Amino acid sequence: MHPTPLPRAIHTTCPYCGVGCGVKATPAPDGTVAVAGDEGHSANRGRLCVKGAALGETVDLAGRLLQPMVREDGVLRRVGWDDALARVADGFRRIIDQHGPDAVALYVSGQLLTEDYYVANKLMKGYIGSANIDTNSRLCMSSSVAGHKRAFGEDIVPGCYADLELADMVVLAGSNAAWCHPVLFQRIARIKEARPDFKLVVIDPRRTASCEGADLHLAIKPGTDVWLFNGLLAYLAAEGAADSAYVEAHTDGLHGALDAARPCDPHSVARACRIDVDKVLTFYRWFAATANTVTAYSQGVNQSSSGTDKVNAIINCHLLTGRIGKPGMGPFSLTGQPNAMGGREVGGLANMLAAHMELDNPAHRAIVQGFWGSPAIADKPGLKAVDLFRDIEAGKVKAVWIIATNPLVSLPDANQVQRAMERCELVVVSDIVAGTDTNAFADVLLPALGWGEKDGTVTNSERTISRQRAFLAPPGEARADWQVLCQVAQRMGYDGFDFDAPAAIFQEHARLSVVANEGATARLFNLRGVDQLDAAQYDALLPAQWPAGQARLFGDGVFAHPGGRARFIATVPRGPANAVDDDYPLALNTGRVRDQWHTMTRTGKAARLAGHTAESFIDMHPQDALLAGVRAGELARVSSRWGAMVARVQHGGGIARGDIFIPIHWNGQTASDARVGTVCNPAVDPVSGEPEFKHTPVRVEPFGVSWHGFVLSRTDIDLALAAHWTRIRGDGFARFELAGRGTIADHAAWARQLLGVDGADADWIDYADRAGGIYRGVHLIDGRIAQCVFISPRPDLPARAWLAGLFGQGELSPPERAGLLSGQALTPGVDAGPTVCSCFGVGRNTICAAIEHEQLTTVAAVTACVKAGGNCGSCVPEIRQLLQQRALEGQVAS
């Protein structure tokens, strides 16, 4: 455990999505941490989603990287910091001297604090002299960045969260906010409940949790957003909904945009988008009639080979109607990561400079270089993420330093990323976790500080800077990323990296923003007012939006382009880069599930976050499954021209024919073959470089196995005995979902080998149906359940919830022991069923029983009865579905 911290509440910020919720963390003397929402933070007003609420369960040191490691003869060994830093600095210096500055690169992350990001960019662009520094924010927000810059002249989010509540209509485009930004979504839901005339429109190929309660769901064909919004632009112009005075006074380029949009009449849009024309017209009429409209968009828009055009097609509609920079209206980019915005402020992408300066502008380069006093300045864009790893494989980039990200899981065409890392001369990884898919290929591993240990700032989706504060002592030999970057820079012979604390870095970052705003180079990004903070003032810094006192931007009609006018962008609809065909007839869409984050290195440590979705899945339409020869509950193989993976088929009911959905989180540490990145195509947007994660042509085939099973165990098991496995974190145990090939001759001997039980006197009870291929075994120690294994030729095994609950108990009672081999409680009502509400651990059976016995008819009534839905609200759509299901059953019965 961590060394004993001070027992007081620390105001900090959540490290997950871009909402940037305030958190109060109270460390206890025993090393545990109590977490609550910060009522004083404007982003969340005291609310947290289940991931944020579970942060205290993720700060233990199990699996942490705590010492520097170097690989020699294929084996990692522990070294001191001096040796590790020398290995990195000398390696980078040697390669730069031999091959030039573009032969090295940094690949960083939206998980970094702004201070870390700033130092990394200063080192790479101002001292090494290359722009080969990119970030995993390239994978989620770079299309939005490019769209903002094309339309506004600068990467600016013009609105704020309050606009979602002041709007009369919110359009969620490519955003399952109910699961991915739940605290914001609940603000929308509360407004909708209070104002019956408020409208919610969801544009998404899938029927997601965000669609529950929506007034209109447009289930468009993947990749057709430009058709839809071009059609809206043409409709608004034709119906007289344009604000002609605004357009004339403040914009350029309308005629070109309209010329591109006019072919998109409602009937053409309906055909292209694969939706009913009446729904298209309803959306267009509502948008035209509703001045206070916010269009909030996220990865479904950004992650596309035409992502930048999608962003601009949305912005075009708001410019035409003058609905921008005013209360309750405007386009709004829902940022994916906690500090993707802060990274953009410091020039975190390979085609940007610090302080929103432009890399291709000589005057901007001179300002940044002069301010830094650096020996060089990058004068051309560096390699964007996908291109970076291609050039690593090609041998052009010979050293890469990966910080706070897991590209072997998160990048598309992940097998190519693996080949690149295998070939790379020097791979350095800074991480808090010892075992990741990426770390397996590191030559040097550097232990970093995690949430609760590191100190700095982050910027959320509405431009609010908040402090992430340390409340735990640094574990082991871990160091802050900014500190390690500075130490490497100094060893490479560079001045300008003598920072002694994050406050000094923030002050330099803020002062650069002020300098950049002088004269003709003025940028809207400006931290004046916080550019002279001393250490105490920095430590006490309250959440603050930039520019100071400006919740919204562009309300005066003045934009950041030369001349101060916004620009319409002509967007020509085009399909995805790779079309489906006879060999790969289905379109793969990827995304997040409700209770997990990225590659689960943090959320995977919290047992309650695994209760809702325990393993990866393939969500597909039943007719497509029939054609593919696969069935719900069984394993299937998904393959593309780039790779393959295996997961379990399900029919969630929200997927159209021709499409499938697979979540992004599972990796080589949590499953045998579930990395969806190996399947995703590497096509990117030509402007932003963002990959097309939402459309990859695939085929689905049976993954033939002879048996299915699961294990619950307090200790590790022999996974080599299974052809496919998934590891799931439990509370005091691990759960393994297994499948295998071949005949098990002796189930009892096989089960003991699997579980590592070799004592003849072990307390072992079992049941075997040899003819049916069914086996169930339980190992007890001192009357407590230690392990259990259930095997069947079919996947319809007993539910896991009741058995899992037994691991939290002491000696089992006779009824509990009697129920072990059945896998279910002998007493009705004991089994809570699959988790619905992770915040309070409420299962489906508990909710259904309450609905039936108490005659509940509303979500509020369910919450009052069993607490489910009473915190973050992410489970409310599922509770509503259970209520609807019960109502339908009652109608049928009557």
Side-chain angles (χ1 to χ4, degrees):
M1 298 296 292
H2 285 276
T4 303
L6 296 174
R8 62 188 179 91
I10 303 296
H11 291 254
T12 184
T13 310
C14 180
Y16 291 124
C17 78
V19 175
C21 293
V23 172
K24 291 189 298 185
T26 306
D30 63 359
T32 60
V33 177
V35 167
D38 185 348
E39 301 87 348
H41 200 295
S42 60
N44 59 315
R45 303 169 184 168
R47 288 181 173 265
L48 291 176
C49 75
V50 66
K51 294 186 290 293
L55 276 167
E57 300 162 38
T58 69
V59 296
D60 65 277
L61 300 183
R64 284 290 299 269
L65 177 65
L66 297 175
Q67 298 89 24
M69 310 282 285
V70 299
R71 193 178 302 277
E72 293 179 346
D73 299 323
V75 178
L76 283 171
R77 67 176 182 87
R78 178 178 173 178
V79 297
W81 268 107
D82 284 343
D83 288 346
L85 293 170
R87 182 76 62 99
V88 178
D90 294 349
F92 268 63
R93 170 53 62 203
R94 173 180 54 79
I95 290 170
I96 292 168
D97 290 345
Q98 292 178 0
H99 304 283
D102 289 333
V104 300
L106 269 62
Y107 186 63
V108 297
S109 166
Q111 303 292 305
L112 289 179
L113 303 183
T114 300
E115 292 75 6
D116 305 319
Y117 246 135
Y118 180 85
V119 174
N121 274 275
K122 181 177 181 180
L123 169 62
M124 197 68 204
K125 289 172 180 166
Y127 286 78
I128 291 175
S130 170
N132 278 352
I133 173 170
D134 212 42
T135 166
N136 63 9
S137 300
R138 177 72 60 190
L139 313 183
C140 59
M141 300 312 302
S142 56
S143 291
S144 189
V145 172
H148 288 162
K149 290 173 69 174
R150 293 203 302 186
F152 306 145
E154 189 174 346
D155 175 24
I156 296 292
V157 175
C160 59
Y161 295 157
D163 291 328
L164 297 170
E165 298 166 315
L166 296 172
D168 295 316
M169 183 168 81
V170 169
V171 181
L172 291 177
S175 167
N176 183 13
W179 280 15
C180 300
H181 299 91
V183 170
L184 278 187
F185 185 81
Q186 287 307 306
R187 290 175 70 165
I188 298 170
R190 288 192 293 275
I191 290 298
K192 181 165 176 55
E193 187 175 342
R195 290 164 44 199
D197 292 337
F198 178 94
K199 289 183 172 62
L200 175 63
V201 177
V202 177
I203 302 168
D204 196 311
R206 297 190 300 142
R207 183 170 183 82
T208 68
S210 299
C211 298
E212 299 299 325
D215 299 282
L216 181 64
H217 173 212
L218 299 177
I220 64 173
K221 180 180 178 182
T224 59
D225 307 68
V226 173
W227 271 272
L228 181 68
F229 283 98
N230 269 14
L232 175 58
L233 186 75
Y235 178 90
L236 294 170
E239 295 297 317
D243 186 337
S244 300
Y246 180 90
V247 170
E248 178 67 25
H250 303 298
T251 72
D252 293 318
L254 174 61
H255 295 303
L258 281 177
D259 287 344
R262 284 195 180 97
C264 299
D265 63 88
H267 289 279
S268 298
V269 169
R271 286 192 298 272
C273 295
R274 202 174 59 190
I275 54 177
D276 189 87
V277 68
D278 289 340
K279 288 191 172 184
V280 173
L281 286 169
T282 297
F283 171 49
Y284 288 179
R285 288 167 184 150
W286 286 358
F287 195 103
T290 311
N292 280 17
T293 294
V294 172
T295 305
Y297 63 91
S298 196
Q299 316 306 8
V301 167
N302 294 320
Q303 291 179 333
S304 168
S305 58
S306 57
T308 305
D309 279 354
K310 291 179 182 182
V311 171
N312 285 117
I314 291 169
I315 293 173
N316 284 347
C317 297
H318 282 271
L319 288 176
L320 183 69
T321 52
R323 299 173 186 171
I324 194 164
K326 302 169 188 172
M329 62 181 69
F332 198 105
S333 167
L334 296 177
T335 310
Q337 293 196 81
N339 203 30
M341 288 284 282
R344 286 142 65 175
E345 294 165 7
V346 302
L349 296 168
N351 54 320
M352 302 169 65
L353 279 177
H356 282 201
M357 297 281 96
E358 298 295 339
L359 191 62
D360 58 0
N361 186 317
H364 289 190
R365 295 198 301 271
I367 290 170
V368 175
Q369 184 176 11
F371 179 84
W372 282 341
S374 60
I377 193 72
D379 59 3
K380 64 180 185 297
L383 294 166
K384 298 169 185 174
V386 172
D387 290 336
L388 170 61
F389 284 88
R390 284 176 178 158
D391 273 20
I392 292 173
E393 184 183 13
K396 297 177 182 178
V397 174
K398 300 178 182 297
V400 62
W401 187 351
I402 298 165
I403 306 178
T405 187
N406 195 1
L408 203 63
V409 181
S410 57
L411 277 169
D413 194 7
N415 290 332
Q416 185 277 323
V417 177
Q418 179 172 327
R419 294 194 303 271
M421 295 183 69
E422 288 172 336
R423 177 164 184 180
C424 191
E425 188 174 324
L426 176 60
V427 176
V428 182
V429 180
S430 294
D431 209 325
I432 67 170
V433 177
T436 72
D437 293 34
T438 297
N439 290 0
F441 297 91
D443 299 297
V444 183
L445 282 175
L446 304 175
L449 300 181
W451 181 83
E453 301 155 1
K454 57 186 180 179
D455 190 49
T457 58
V458 292
T459 305
N460 72 4
S461 294
E462 63 170 352
R463 295 175 280 106
T464 294
I465 296 173
S466 300
R467 290 279 278 109
Q468 251 193 45
R469 293 182 171 91
F471 54 86
L472 296 169
E477 298 176 33
R479 295 181 180 178
D481 290 308
W482 67 264
Q483 183 181 15
V484 177
L485 285 158
C486 287
Q487 289 167 341
V488 168
Q490 290 167 342
R491 285 172 178 264
M492 292 179 71
Y494 298 134
D495 297 325
F497 295 90
D498 55 350
F499 302 112
D500 60 358
I505 304 170
F506 182 85
Q507 185 186 84
E508 182 174 302
H509 160 58
R511 284 193 291 110
L512 176 55
S513 78
V514 174
V515 170
N517 272 274
E518 297 173 353
T521 63
R523 306 270 84 189
L524 288 167
F525 173 64
N526 188 343
L527 299 183
R528 187 181 299 278
V530 294
D531 57 311
Q532 299 294 332
L533 301 180
D534 60 26
Q537 291 169 324
Y538 173 82
D539 187 57
L541 182 65
L542 296 175
Q545 250 182 332
W546 61 257
Q550 296 188 50
R552 300 170 187 86
L553 296 171
F554 308 138
D556 57 0
V558 179
F559 295 84
H561 280 301
R565 297 168 68 86
R567 295 176 184 174
F568 286 91
I569 303 297
T571 57
V572 178
R574 64 181 188 274
N578 295 284
V580 296
D581 56 28
D582 290 342
D583 291 330
Y584 300 97
L586 301 172
L588 166 65
N589 180 5
T590 67
R592 283 159 52 187
V593 298
R594 194 187 75 184
D595 295 349
Q596 298 295 348
W597 175 257
H598 284 195
T599 63
M600 299 196 293
T601 50
R602 181 184 287 114
T603 51
K605 294 169 75 73
R608 64 165 148 157
L609 298 182
H612 183 257
T613 304
E615 58 181 331
S616 187
F617 59 84
I618 306 160
D619 192 8
M620 62 190 305
H621 194 280
Q623 288 178 282
D624 288 328
L626 183 66
L627 291 172
V630 300
R631 292 190 293 184
E634 295 184 351
L635 295 170
R637 184 175 185 266
V638 179
S639 58
S640 71
R641 291 181 173 85
W642 297 272
M645 54 87 68
V646 175
R648 200 172 301 278
V649 175
Q650 72 172 38
H651 304 319
I655 202 88
R657 285 207 63 188
D659 300 339
I660 70 170
F661 175 86
I662 299 175
I664 63 172
H665 312 288
W666 279 265
N667 54 79
Q669 314 307 306
T670 52
S672 56
D673 193 17
R675 279 190 305 149
V676 73
T678 62
V679 181
C680 292
N681 78 94
V684 299
D685 180 282
V687 180
S688 69
E690 184 157 353
E692 188 150 63
F693 286 115
K694 301 300 184 184
H695 190 285
T696 297
V698 299
R699 64 170 171 257
V700 177
E701 307 167 289
F703 182 78
V705 296
S706 306
W707 55 265
H708 300 263
F710 70 85
V711 168
L712 308 180
S713 177
R714 297 186 189 275
T715 57
D716 285 337
I717 67 172
D718 187 356
L719 292 172
L721 297 177
H724 179 81
W725 56 267
T726 299
R727 179 189 286 111
I728 302 128
R729 177 71 174 263
D731 189 2
F733 66 95
R735 169 181 159 192
F736 301 88
E737 294 294 323
L738 308 174
R741 291 169 172 158
T743 302
I744 302 173
D746 183 339
H747 277 97
W750 179 90
R752 284 172 173 258
Q753 179 185 352
L754 175 73
L755 302 182
V757 179
D758 52 10
D761 58 347
D763 188 355
W764 181 272
I765 58 176
D766 64 357
Y767 163 82
D769 175 357
R770 294 182 181 179
I774 296 172
Y775 181 82
R776 300 176 178 186
V778 181
H779 178 211
L780 297 105
I781 298 177
D782 297 329
R784 300 179 67 215
I785 186 170
Q787 298 165 297
C788 64
V789 54
F790 283 62
I791 300 295
S792 170
R794 296 173 300 278
D796 52 342
L797 291 151
R800 287 54 158 172
W802 178 73
L803 285 166
L806 298 181
F807 280 80
Q809 299 181 199
E811 185 174 352
L812 300 185
S813 68
E816 289 167 339
R817 188 173 177 120
L820 285 175
L821 294 180
S822 70
Q824 58 188 9
L826 300 183
T827 305
V830 173
D831 185 359
T835 300
V836 173
C837 176
S838 297
C839 292
F840 297 113
V842 186
R844 184 185 301 156
N845 294 350
T846 301
I847 295 172
C848 289
I851 291 172
E852 181 175 359
H853 296 150
E854 303 298 328
Q855 298 295 300
L856 306 178
T857 58
T858 66
V859 173
V862 172
T863 301
C865 186
V866 297
K867 298 180 71 174
N871 184 38
C872 75
S874 297
C875 63
V876 166
E878 289 175 77
I879 297 172
R880 189 176 288 118
Q881 287 176 349
L882 294 175
L883 287 165
Q884 293 169 350
Q885 180 180 329
R886 176 58 185 162
L888 288 173
E889 290 171 353
Q891 292 173 9
V892 171
S894 62

